[in-house]
Amino acid sequence: MSVSIESDPVYERFHFLVNAPALFNAVVSAVELNVFSNLSVRPGATAEELRTATGLPAHQLRVLLQAVCSTGLVVREGSGYVNSPVAQELLASDAPDSWAHILPGWKSVYYPAFMHMTRALRTGRNTALDDHPGTEPTLYGRLPRNPELEAVFHRAMSAFTLRSVDSLIGRREFSGVRHLLDVGGGDGSTSLKLAARYPELISTVFDIPSISKMAADKTDADAEEQGTAAGISERVRLQAGDIFADPFPSGVDAVLFSHVLEIFSEEQILVLLKKAYDALPVGGQVFAYGFNVSDDETEGVFSARLGLYFNVLVSGRGMAYPAKDYERWLREVGFAGVRTVSGLPYEHGLSLGIKE
């Protein structure tokens, strides 16, 4: 006797998935129209009050609220609306790590690319990159041509990094580091957090010029906010360059790859790890931090999305590799004492090695 698929939890998940693109965009619209932030300061606001706050026509607001309520993020109570605890925590704030910064980046950069997925997978090329002007082979190379979109993208990247990075910052292995090389360190969010946590640590952020300019602006703002007495911005140094073509800065005793290696192929990862090995003194440490798919490569929704995004848009290669791959690569270039800290937030892992 066959069993009805309606009792299978995957059936319910299927129904959510096929409706998710529209609902995702409704949630982002609610972020952009300040629905969640308005309900944060005015819980129980009526539709008329929200109409005044958002400027939407009454019917269109009614449609948007129905969509957002269907996700459970907003709840209707009588004639008013309130944020769910999840929405209040993740979407109502303008804090640097708010999902209100992450989702617009995904909407503007990530998800439009997925319309190209079948063609990209068939050709083995990141065909969605064709939507971005330029001849550079990666998204990161082309984004500087669109500074507004680049800023939205890196604001989203920074916010997501801040959501997951505390588990990295708190690792005791950083307590002995004096000069860290943060390869592909973006706008410096991770290095700033490390410098705040470890007063003796200096970090050099090594990334492409347009991103280094963003990092400079961020460290200046950080200095103004926290006060120059904290000395944080002075200990986060910026060096622009190409992580493949240019030599790694010298004089460091640790190298960090945070959300970098998974962008690339095995051959490219080995090149970067060898450059890290050569730049380090004996006793120097390497940290490879990022998404880890399960060992059998079947679990992890964040990891699955990331791998598709890399191959369809970013670089045409890469994925959220399992930890065992990183450990093998670290040993292959010469690192000893290789191990992985697994089970970190958002499917992250940290693989470590020491140069003996």
Side-chain angles (χ1 to χ4, degrees):
M1 181 177 65
S2 62
V3 178
S4 171
I5 63 169
E6 294 181 8
S7 61
D8 189 329
V10 177
Y11 181 71
E12 183 177 352
R13 184 183 298 180
F14 171 80
H15 280 170
F16 182 79
L17 285 173
V18 296
N19 290 287
L23 297 177
F24 169 83
N25 282 283
V27 171
V28 182
S29 292
V31 166
E32 294 170 338
L33 292 163
N34 298 313
V35 171
F36 300 109
S37 57
N38 272 293
L39 290 177
S40 179
V41 298
R42 199 169 194 173
T46 64
E48 179 58 26
E49 290 168 331
L50 288 172
R51 187 192 65 76
T52 300
T54 62
L56 287 185
H59 177 73
Q60 280 65 35
L61 176 64
R62 181 182 182 185
V63 171
L64 176 64
L65 288 173
Q66 191 275 324
V68 178
C69 285
S70 77
T71 69
L73 289 169
V74 169
V75 179
R76 182 165 181 173
E77 294 184 349
S79 61
Y81 296 85
V82 298
N83 284 332
S84 70
V86 171
Q88 185 64 29
E89 171 68 22
L90 301 184
L91 297 169
S93 161
D94 192 45
D97 66 346
S98 175
W99 276 88
H101 299 310
I102 298 170
L103 297 185
W106 289 12
K107 170 191 171 183
S108 301
V109 180
Y110 281 40
Y111 288 128
F114 291 146
M115 293 187 294
H116 296 259
M117 189 177 298
T118 302
R119 184 162 67 99
L121 295 175
R122 279 178 171 160
T123 62
R125 188 175 72 85
N126 51 333
T127 54
L129 193 63
D130 296 343
D131 290 344
H132 297 267
T135 58
E136 296 82 359
T138 70
L139 175 66
Y140 306 117
R142 296 195 188 187
L143 275 178
R145 298 171 182 272
N146 187 341
E148 183 177 351
L149 184 63
E150 186 180 37
V152 169
F153 173 77
H154 283 289
R155 186 161 55 247
M157 292 279 288
S158 176
F160 193 82
T161 294
L162 292 174
R163 278 273 156 191
S164 64
V165 80
D166 283 348
S167 60
L168 171 68
I169 304 303
R171 296 300 307 175
R172 57 182 174 79
E173 290 84 359
F174 285 104
S175 62
V177 174
R178 290 297 171 262
H179 191 169
L180 177 74
L181 176 60
D182 186 359
V183 179
D187 69 359
S189 295
T190 300
S191 283
L192 286 166
K193 294 272 283 185
L194 282 164
R197 178 70 176 266
Y198 303 100
E200 304 300 319
L201 183 144
I202 294 170
S203 182
T204 295
V205 179
F206 186 43
D207 214 321
I208 62 177
S210 66
I211 298 178
S212 289
K213 173 61 169 64
M214 289 186 188
D217 294 341
K218 184 176 182 65
T219 52
D220 289 344
D222 182 83
E224 183 177 344
E225 180 180 340
Q226 302 192 38
T228 55
I232 293 173
S233 64
E234 289 84 352
R235 291 186 286 113
V236 177
R237 303 168 180 176
L238 310 173
Q239 183 163 335
D242 184 308
I243 64 175
F244 286 101
D246 298 326
F248 281 3
S250 59
V252 301
D253 60 349
V255 176
L256 170 65
F257 297 98
S258 177
H259 297 132
V260 173
L261 296 179
E262 59 255 54
I263 299 169
F264 303 111
S265 67
E266 176 174 350
E267 293 74 21
Q268 292 172 305
I269 292 170
L270 286 170
V271 168
L272 292 174
L273 291 177
K274 183 62 166 59
K275 291 181 73 169
Y277 185 88
D278 292 342
L280 286 169
V282 172
Q285 301 179 84
V286 64
F287 303 94
Y289 176 72
F291 293 86
N292 283 170
V293 72
S294 62
D295 279 349
D296 67 0
E297 302 184 14
T298 63
E299 297 179 17
V301 292
F302 283 94
S303 297
R305 176 191 54 81
L306 189 79
L308 293 167
Y309 159 66
F310 286 154
N311 283 268
V312 171
L313 175 60
V314 176
S315 59
R317 53 182 62 87
M319 64 178 290
Y321 296 99
K324 62 183 181 181
D325 283 3
Y326 287 112
E327 293 177 357
R328 173 169 54 84
W329 295 328
L330 287 167
R331 293 189 183 99
E332 186 171 334
V333 300
F335 286 104
V338 173
R339 60 192 176 90
T340 296
V341 179
S342 58
L344 302 180
Y346 294 105
E347 302 168 13
H348 279 61
L350 173 65
S351 296
L352 310 94
I354 299 173
K355 180 174 178 178
E356 290 187 342

